[in-house]
């Protein structure tokens, strides 16, 4: 199985801050990397697919980059509705695997 | 707009079989290019991929659950199902069904709202 490791596990930030979350794969996954946002008691929501493609309807303040083993999710200016947990997922091979999550909290 | 909705018992006894159904609306599960998937999340923990099935019947399962899991499709009802045998308390989780779109890269683009299944006697 491909292991996905996110950092940090949690972070505190203020509205308007630039936030960066990283995800590392245990082997190369090309660009088969997705990012999801999950709010409490809600299903995950797809934000970014193929490492850097913005899912339809997702605000442009979200962006993704990377390829191979190292990936980044950036929120350019944190908004109140962005406080949530973020997960990366590899779709290079099965079983699909997720990172452990990064919780973005209000400072 | 594709929508998915999970249904099934919220309480299952240890050693019994967990059975859930996902009803899909706004699209056909017979359409090519999509895998129909199950993911679960224990309370306060991360996401675990359970498995997926294609319209052809091709399936993939998480090896950690492989021998206990079966996913099936019912195209006449536009539903797909999950069966997990010999459950224990460790199988207590919110279970999500989702669509994996392989027509445009590979992504879980539509999810059900999730259903909590508790394993307890």
């Amino acid at each position: 199985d491909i292991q996905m490791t996110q950092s940090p596990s949690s972070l505190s930030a203020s509205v308007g801050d630039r936030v960066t979350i990283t995800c590392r794969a245990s082997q190369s996954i090309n660009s088969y990397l997705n990012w999801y946002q999950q709010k409490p008691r809600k299903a995950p929501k797809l934000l970014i697919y193929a490492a850097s493609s913005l899912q339809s309807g997702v605000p442009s303040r979200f962006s993704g980059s990377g390829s191979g083993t190292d990936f980044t999710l950036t929120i350019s200016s944190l908004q109140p509705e962005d406080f949530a947990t973020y997960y990366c997922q590899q779709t290079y091979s099965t079983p699909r695997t997720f990172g452990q999550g990064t919780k973005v909290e209000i400072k | 707009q594709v929508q998915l909705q999970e249904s099934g018992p919220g309480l299952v006894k240890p050693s019994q079989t967990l059975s859930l159904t996902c009803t899909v609306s706004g699209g056909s599960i017979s359409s090519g290019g999509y895998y129909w998937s199950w993911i679960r999340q224990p309370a306060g923990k991360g996401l675990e991929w359970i498995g997926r099935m294609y319209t052809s019947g091709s399936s993939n399962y998480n090896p950690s659950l492989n021998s206990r899991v079966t996913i099936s499709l019912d195209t006449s009802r536009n539903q797909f199902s999950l069966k997990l045998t010999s459950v224990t308390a460790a199988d207590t989780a919110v279970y999500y069904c989702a669509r994996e779109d392989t027509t445009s890269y590979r992504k879980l683009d539509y999810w059900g709202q999730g259903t909590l299944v508790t394993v307890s006697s």
Side-chain angles (χ1 to χ4, degrees), chain B residues 74-100:
Chain B
D74 184 341
T75 55
S76 65
R77 297 185 178 185
N78 219 36
Q79 296 174 333
F80 62 105
S81 298
L82 169 71
K83 290 191 186 302
L84 182 65
T85 62
S86 304
V87 297
T88 69
D91 296 310
T92 294
V94 174
Y95 285 75
Y96 295 100
C97 58
R99 186 183 85 167
E100 181 177 322

Side-chain angles (χ1 to χ4, degrees), chain A residues 46-90:
Chain A
L46 177 67
L47 298 177
I48 301 285
Y49 65 95
S52 60
S53 296
L54 193 67
Q55 176 69 358
S56 176
V58 174
S60 60
R61 62 181 179 273
F62 291 94
S63 64
S65 64
S67 67
T69 60
D70 295 311
F71 302 87
T72 299
L73 173 70
T74 299
I75 309 172
S76 60
S77 178
L78 198 65
Q79 297 302 298
E81 60 267 31
D82 301 336
F83 291 96
T85 300
Y86 294 84
Y87 293 94
C88 61
Q89 180 213 19
Q90 65 82 18

Side-chain angles (χ1 to χ4, degrees), chain A residues 1 31-32 34 36 38 41-44 46 49-50 55 87 89 91-98 100, chain B residues 39 41 45-49 52 60-63 96 100 102 104-109 111-114:
Chain A
D1 300 5
S31 294
Y32 289 99
N34 303 326
Y36 301 86
Q38 187 179 34
R41 296 172 297 281
K42 296 291 188 182
L46 177 67
Y49 65 95
Q55 176 69 358
Y87 293 94
Q89 180 213 19
T91 54
Y92 179 78
S93 65
T94 59
R96 305 302 197 218
T97 46
F98 294 88
Q100 80 278 17
Chain B
I39 299 98
Q41 184 173 37
K45 296 189 178 180
L47 300 162
E48 180 181 29
W49 185 83
R52 64 178 189 170
N60 304 101
Y61 299 125
N62 194 321
Y96 295 100
E100 181 177 322
T102 62
S104 174
Y105 246 78
R106 304 164 186 167
K107 54 187 177 178
L108 292 166
D109 57 352
W111 295 64
Q113 65 185 24

Side-chain angles (χ1 to χ4, degrees), chain B:
Chain B
Q1 177 79 347
V2 175
Q3 293 184 314
L4 294 85
Q5 176 70 57
E6 305 88 352
S7 60
L11 181 64
V12 181
K13 289 182 167 51
S15 81
Q16 294 192 342
T17 296
L18 179 159
S19 297
L20 296 175
T21 297
C22 183
T23 301
V24 179
S25 58
S28 172
I29 65 170
S30 300
S31 299
Y34 304 109
Y35 278 86
W36 303 96
S37 308
W38 289 95
I39 299 98
R40 70 180 183 178
Q41 184 173 37
K45 296 189 178 180
L47 300 162
E48 180 181 29
W49 185 83
I50 297 171
R52 64 178 189 170
M53 177 163 275
Y54 195 63
T55 56
S56 65
S58 169
S59 61
N60 304 101
Y61 299 125
N62 194 321
S64 67
L65 302 169
N66 197 35
S67 61
R68 299 196 292 132
V69 176
T70 303
I71 296 173
S72 58
L73 304 185
D74 184 341
T75 55
S76 65
R77 297 185 178 185
N78 219 36
Q79 296 174 333
F80 62 105
S81 298
L82 169 71
K83 290 191 186 302
L84 182 65
T85 62
S86 304
V87 297
T88 69
D91 296 310
T92 294
V94 174
Y95 285 75
Y96 295 100
C97 58
R99 186 183 85 167
E100 181 177 322
D101 179 0
T102 62
T103 63
S104 174
Y105 246 78
R106 304 164 186 167
K107 54 187 177 178
L108 292 166
D109 57 352
Y110 289 99
W111 295 64
Q113 65 185 24
T115 188
L116 174 63
V117 178
T118 302
V119 178
S120 175
S121 55

Side-chain angles (χ1 to χ4, degrees), chain A residues 1-17:
Chain A
D1 300 5
I2 297 175
Q3 306 303 313
M4 306 301 294
T5 304
Q6 287 181 234
S7 62
S9 296
S10 64
L11 64 91
S12 296
S14 301
V15 172
D17 284 353

